[in-house]
Amino acid sequence: MYQEADYLQINGLQHLSFCPRQCALIHMEQYWKENYLTAGGQVDHEKVHSGLLESRKRVKTARSLRIASSTLGLIGQTDAVEFYKDGTILPIEYKHGEPQNNTSNEVQLCAQVICLEEMLHTTIEQGALFYFKIRKRILVPMTAELRAETIALAHEFHRLIDSGITPEACYKPHCKACSLLEECFPKSAGAKKSVSSYLEKTTKQLETEFA
């Protein structure tokens, strides 16, 4: 169980799953930068959150719900949660692109499910991911395996932040899609060097050259 003062942002699980270094840059070193992918996602999410509550015959849809879990030590908000008359609860996470070849989106969704279960004292069997690029909703079963992966990643997230150490830079093909590519210096920063230390070293070198 985590104390509220130690809660971390849910979206950090997706960042950690994508790249531990990116996660540390955002959640420890407070770096963030928009690129065409993140900007597009921001626009899509503004559309999603434009109406906070919708009600139809069988379902009520709530948006931007604040959620948290002491078990995971996470806090954040949902994109949308559908509450059906039969008691079914379906969290929906909206994504700008298309399905990925990893479970980063599923883990983020599962963390939301665990938060809602803890807060509402219920069990949620599945969630959904809606991808704007393909205009399709994909149901995601909350399997024991996905829950275990999510819990393990949440604990890893806390260990990373508690360590205060930014993981070493390691260039991979997916780096090209990262909005922090220029700040990360994956080809230059070297092992176990943070952006801050790299920039400090570079600045001192420049000052020496132009002194």
Side-chain angles (χ1 to χ4, degrees), residues 45 48-49 56 61-63 77-82 84 89-95 109 112-113 116 126-131 137-139:
H45 277 78
V48 171
H49 297 301
R56 289 175 285 174
T61 303
R63 305 184 188 279
Q77 71 176 25
T78 64
D79 282 340
V81 182
E82 293 181 346
Y84 291 82
I89 300 174
L90 184 72
I92 307 168
E93 176 69 15
Y94 289 78
K95 295 300 180 183
L109 178 64
Q112 294 178 12
V113 165
L116 287 167
Q126 62 183 358
L129 293 168
F130 180 88
Y131 291 94
R137 175 188 290 192
I138 299 176
L139 293 176

Side-chain angles (χ1 to χ4, degrees), residues 2 8-28 32 72-74 95 102-108 111 148-163 165-168 172 174 178 180:
Y2 294 90
L8 303 174
Q9 290 296 316
I10 288 176
N11 62 3
L13 295 188
Q14 185 190 41
H15 298 146
L16 180 59
S17 180
F18 176 77
C19 172
R21 182 171 172 83
Q22 183 203 62
C23 181
L25 292 178
I26 294 173
H27 297 276
M28 281 200 310
W32 178 253
L72 300 179
L74 298 176
K95 295 300 180 183
N102 55 60
T103 59
S104 59
N105 292 336
E106 286 77 5
V107 163
Q108 183 181 4
E149 180 182 0
T150 301
I151 293 170
L153 199 63
H155 293 328
E156 183 182 344
F157 187 19
H158 279 277
R159 286 193 294 270
L160 172 64
I161 299 303
D162 290 343
S163 74
I165 299 174
T166 299
E168 65 183 59
K172 296 181 180 179
H174 68 241
C178 180
L180 297 179

Side-chain angles (χ1 to χ4, degrees), residues 27-95:
H27 297 276
M28 281 200 310
E29 301 197 29
Q30 305 301 309
Y31 277 85
W32 178 253
K33 183 179 179 181
E34 294 280 8
N35 67 1
Y36 72 98
L37 291 173
T38 57
Q42 187 69 23
V43 171
D44 289 336
H45 277 78
E46 287 176 359
K47 295 177 182 177
V48 171
H49 297 301
S50 60
L52 295 181
L53 182 64
E54 297 176 8
S55 183
R56 289 175 285 174
K57 289 184 179 180
R58 294 180 52 252
V59 60
K60 289 185 178 180
T61 303
R63 305 184 188 279
S64 302
L65 292 179
R66 298 294 296 174
I67 57 176
S69 167
S70 60
T71 302
L72 300 179
L74 298 176
I75 191 169
Q77 71 176 25
T78 64
D79 282 340
V81 182
E82 293 181 346
F83 295 89
Y84 291 82
K85 281 192 173 182
D86 65 1
T88 299
I89 300 174
L90 184 72
I92 307 168
E93 176 69 15
Y94 289 78
K95 295 300 180 183

Side-chain angles (χ1 to χ4, degrees), residues 107-150:
V107 163
Q108 183 181 4
L109 178 64
C110 184
Q112 294 178 12
V113 165
I114 293 174
C115 288
L116 287 167
E117 289 179 331
E118 188 174 316
M119 295 171 66
L120 301 176
H121 305 288
T122 189
T123 299
I124 299 174
E125 300 295 337
Q126 62 183 358
L129 293 168
F130 180 88
Y131 291 94
F132 281 94
K133 188 170 183 178
I134 61 175
R135 307 297 299 179
K136 184 177 181 180
R137 175 188 290 192
I138 299 176
L139 293 176
V140 180
M142 294 295 114
T143 64
E145 291 77 13
L146 180 57
R147 289 174 182 272
E149 180 182 0
T150 301

